[in-house]
Amino acid sequence: MKLIVAIIRPDKLSDVLEELYRAKVRGLTVSPVQGHGGELEKVETYRGMTVKMELQEKVRLEIGVSEAFVERTVKAILDAAQTGQVGDGKVFVLSVDNVHRIRTGEVDEQAVTPMSEGAAV
């Protein structure tokens, strides 16, 4: 099992969600975040003061998947989020020790496998 964490541009969220849906990836969390990587610093004037704007608005996606869904999930994000410009984001694939579905009590693989997919891929 893996936790896929993606940091993407906010304007690419709709494209990424659509591509994940096409890839039959279900169940995710989306959060607005701020950060910076390779983007150039922006300098703005606010009330007569020069302010360095160091943090960029981004969106964080968290998706718990079974091993069978890792490749298709990462591919969907990369395909939909890429603009070719600095600041497109990152995708992290993290190992997960345990998962528990609160509603049903299912654990591990059964807890992250989409209900419509069952155990089949």
Side-chain angles (χ1 to χ4, degrees):
M1 296 169 303
K2 302 291 184 186
L3 177 64
I4 297 173
V5 177
I7 309 297
I8 64 170
R9 296 173 181 269
D11 59 313
K12 298 303 285 180
L13 179 60
S14 294
D15 295 339
V16 170
L17 293 176
E18 186 175 323
E19 197 66 29
L20 288 169
Y21 184 79
R22 282 190 196 128
K24 299 184 189 291
V25 176
R26 306 289 189 266
L28 58 94
T29 301
V30 177
S31 306
V33 295
Q34 293 183 331
H36 75 83
E39 300 96 341
L40 298 175
E41 292 179 349
K42 291 194 303 188
V43 178
E44 293 184 7
T45 302
Y46 177 73
R47 293 187 177 186
M49 293 181 60
T50 300
V51 180
K52 281 174 52 173
M53 305 299 290
E54 296 181 19
L55 300 178
Q56 303 294 317
E57 300 293 324
K58 300 289 181 182
V59 174
R60 178 183 171 119
L61 300 164
E62 296 177 85
I63 310 166
V65 298
S66 59
E67 293 291 336
F69 280 82
V70 173
E71 188 176 324
R72 74 169 86 171
T73 303
V74 171
K75 183 178 181 340
I77 295 167
L78 294 175
D79 288 350
Q82 184 180 34
T83 68
Q85 302 295 315
V86 173
D88 276 354
K90 298 264 190 310
V91 177
F92 302 90
V93 180
L94 310 169
S95 294
V96 174
D97 292 332
N98 298 104
V99 177
H100 300 265
R101 189 185 311 252
I102 296 171
R103 179 178 53 85
T104 62
E106 292 170 302
V107 296
D108 297 337
E109 294 288 327
Q110 290 76 29
V112 295
T113 301
M115 300 301 286
S116 62
E117 287 288 314
V121 178

